[in-house]
């Protein structure tokens, strides 16, 4: 359409001649016609170039618009993908929550976090009990009047004999003590049975605690001796005997400390009996209170004996399984630390035994005064 308009304009300008030119010859007319064709050709070229530029511009704009549309579609797709992942994660978390609620006794949070919180209180209670018992046992062995009283070690021996005959000796079980024994049949020889200490998770009462204490005393320090009157120690021989007696007291205190620690770990400390019973499928300590010893037993043994734990394990998600593994490793580290402490004291007792053997060797004939023998 534009091209036709341009042609009409040029034609009009060509055909419009002035009166002065009306009488030109045929050669003039031919030159004018040739010039008009040249102009028309140039105009057509410009029109073609303009149309080509317009088309290229439209194509470029169309390509840019297509790119924008593609980017918008990609952004929308990525947003929908992210939303889908979020919805899937929410669905998984919801499923895990329903699983925890459906299997409350075996869910990791209910099984371990509560027990871990109780372990701290159990450790504090065991430390207090160990400190008190250690003071009593050391004072008893060393003849501390604040512990054994003014009457001294004789009163301590009398008191222990009274516990034996009054609590751990039954007339029906021991004919030779029919006139002396006043305990019941169930407590007979309780102070001789290792299980009354080592097979107890939490002491249920004073009777169990007493039996465990007397068992340790029977092994480590059954009788404590009267102290040397230090004012009367005035010769080298007296001082030597006094120091030997002091060394014997130290060894007895070391042995007694082993049983003190074992008893302290079994002292009731925290009220988690119902939790432990639901977890392990059994009965817990006295009045619902557990010791640190029993808490560790629950977390490292009894919880795995309950079939519900295996059922809950199958329904845990990845995150929950990782938490479960971390808590199991924490409990394992605690047991390793207790094992280290026990090995430390066991090594000390081995060293004491070695020292005692060396001391006995020094008293062999010929070694006690080896300088005199050389003379």
């Amino acid at each position: 359409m534009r091209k036709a308009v341009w042609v009409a304009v040029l034609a009009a300008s060509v055909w419009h001649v002035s009166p002065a030119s009306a009488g030109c010859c045929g050669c003039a007319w031919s030159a004018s016609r040739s010039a008009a064709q040249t102009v028309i050709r140039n105009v057509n070229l410009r029109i073609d170039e303009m149309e080509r530029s317009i088309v290229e511009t439209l194509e470029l704009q169309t390509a840019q618009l297509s790119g924008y549309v593609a980017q918008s579609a990609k952004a929308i797709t990525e947003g929908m993908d992210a939303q889908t992942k979020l919805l899937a994660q929410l669905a998984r978390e919801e499923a895990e929550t329903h699983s925890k609620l459906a299997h409350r006794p075996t869910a990791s949070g209910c099984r371990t976090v509560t027990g871990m919180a109780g372990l701290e209180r159990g450790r504090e209670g065991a430390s207090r009990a160990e400190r008190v018992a250690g003071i009593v046992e050391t004072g008893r062995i060393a003849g501390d009047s604040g512990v054994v009283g003014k009457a001294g070690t004789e009163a301590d021996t009398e008191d222990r004999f009274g516990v034996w005959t009054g609590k751990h000796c039954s007339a029906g079980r021991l004919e030779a003590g029919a006139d002396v024994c006043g305990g019941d049949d169930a407590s007979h020889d309780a102070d001789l049975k290792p299980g009354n200490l080592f097979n107890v998770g939490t002491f249920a009462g004073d009777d169990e605690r007493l039996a465990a204490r007397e068992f340790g005393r029977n092994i480590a320090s059954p009788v404590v001796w009267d102290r040397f009157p230090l004012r009367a120690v005035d010769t080298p021989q007296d001082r030597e005997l006094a120091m030997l007696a002091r060394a014997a007291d130290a060894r007895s205190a070391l042995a007694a400390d082993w049983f003190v620690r074992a008893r302290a770990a079994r002292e009731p400390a925290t009220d988690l009996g119902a939790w432990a019973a639901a977890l392990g499928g059994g009965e817990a300590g006295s009045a619902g209170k557990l010791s640190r010893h029993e808490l560790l037993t629950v977390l490292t043994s009894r919880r795995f004996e309950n079939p519900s734990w295996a059922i809950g394990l199958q329904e845990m998600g990845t995150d929950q399984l990782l938490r479960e593994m971390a808590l199991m490793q924490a409990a394992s580290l605690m047991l390793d630390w207790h094992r280290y402490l026990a090995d430390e004291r066991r090594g000390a007792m081995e060293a004491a035994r070695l020292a005692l053997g060396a001391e006995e060797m020094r008293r062999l004939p010929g070694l006690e005064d080896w300088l005199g023998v050389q003379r």
Side-chain angles (χ1 to χ4, degrees):
M1 185 65 182
R2 293 181 180 178
K3 190 173 182 180
V5 173
W6 280 99
V7 172
V9 171
L10 291 174
S13 64
V14 171
W15 288 103
H16 179 70
V17 294
S18 63
S21 304
C24 292
C25 63
C27 59
W29 164 251
S30 177
S32 299
R33 184 177 178 182
S34 177
Q37 289 177 349
T38 301
V39 172
I40 291 172
R41 189 181 306 110
N42 293 335
V43 170
N44 288 337
L45 291 174
R46 288 186 180 182
I47 292 173
D48 290 340
E49 185 178 356
M50 293 174 63
E51 288 180 347
R52 191 182 307 109
S53 177
I54 292 172
V55 171
E56 290 176 354
T57 302
L58 290 175
E59 289 177 350
L60 179 61
Q61 292 178 350
T62 302
Q64 291 177 346
L65 182 61
S66 299
Y68 294 151
V69 172
Q71 291 179 355
S72 177
K74 181 180 179 182
I76 293 174
T77 302
E78 290 178 350
M80 294 179 65
D81 186 46
Q83 184 179 11
T84 302
K85 291 180 179 179
L86 178 60
L87 292 176
Q89 179 65 25
L90 292 176
R92 283 194 296 269
E93 292 178 355
E94 183 179 1
E96 288 182 3
T97 302
H98 286 308
S99 175
K100 292 177 184 178
L101 294 176
H103 304 278
R104 189 181 303 271
T106 60
S108 179
C110 293
R111 284 183 307 196
T112 55
V113 174
T114 305
M116 292 293 181
L119 280 173
E120 180 181 4
R121 294 192 293 272
R123 176 179 55 79
E124 294 172 352
S127 297
R128 288 192 297 269
E130 181 182 350
R131 185 168 54 254
V132 173
I135 292 173
V136 171
E137 291 303 310
T138 303
R140 174 178 168 270
I141 293 170
D144 186 351
S145 60
V147 175
V148 298
K150 297 295 183 181
T153 57
E154 183 179 349
D156 176 76
T157 303
E158 182 179 355
D159 178 68
R160 292 203 57 230
F161 186 81
V163 172
W164 173 23
T165 57
K167 289 285 187 179
H168 303 142
C169 178
S170 170
R173 302 279 299 275
L174 186 64
E175 295 182 359
D179 298 334
V180 180
C181 295
D184 54 22
D185 291 347
S187 298
H188 184 72
D189 287 345
D191 59 334
L192 301 181
K193 299 175 182 177
N196 286 328
L197 173 59
F198 299 115
N199 294 345
V200 177
T202 299
F203 292 135
D206 291 337
D207 290 340
E208 287 189 359
R209 190 178 292 106
L210 179 64
R213 187 195 73 180
E214 293 303 307
F215 168 74
R217 286 181 173 180
N218 284 336
I219 295 177
S221 55
V223 176
V224 292
W225 308 98
D226 286 326
R227 303 304 92 196
F228 280 91
L230 296 182
R231 293 179 180 177
V233 176
D234 53 4
T235 66
Q237 291 77 14
D238 291 342
R239 284 191 288 271
E240 181 181 354
L241 292 175
M243 294 310 301
L244 289 174
R246 189 71 170 174
D249 290 344
R251 295 187 181 101
S252 297
L254 176 62
D257 176 75
W258 178 275
F259 298 100
V260 165
R261 286 183 60 84
R263 296 202 315 268
R266 291 163 170 79
E267 286 292 332
T270 181
D271 191 0
L272 291 175
W275 165 82
L279 178 64
E283 296 182 357
S286 173
K289 285 191 174 183
L290 301 181
S291 65
R292 181 175 174 83
H293 180 277
E294 188 161 3
L295 279 172
L296 285 172
T297 303
V298 170
L299 291 173
T300 58
S301 177
R302 284 176 54 193
R303 58 192 294 253
F304 305 121
E305 297 169 359
N306 189 349
S308 298
W309 177 81
I311 296 174
L313 193 67
Q314 305 303 318
E315 300 180 359
M316 290 182 184
T318 302
D319 294 342
Q320 196 67 17
L321 284 173
L322 291 175
R323 296 189 192 100
E324 183 79 6
M325 292 173 62
L327 291 169
M328 291 172 64
Q329 290 178 358
S332 177
L333 284 174
M334 290 182 186
L335 290 179
D336 288 342
W337 175 245
H338 281 276
R339 189 179 298 111
Y340 167 78
L341 295 177
D343 289 342
E344 194 176 40
R345 279 167 167 75
R346 186 181 296 109
M349 285 190 286
E350 290 294 333
R353 181 186 303 173
L354 177 63
L356 182 60
E359 183 179 299
E360 291 175 348
M361 287 183 63
R362 283 197 294 267
R363 279 158 176 70
L364 291 175
L367 291 180
E368 185 175 7
D369 187 12
W370 64 277
L371 289 177
V373 173
Q374 286 184 342
R375 295 190 191 98

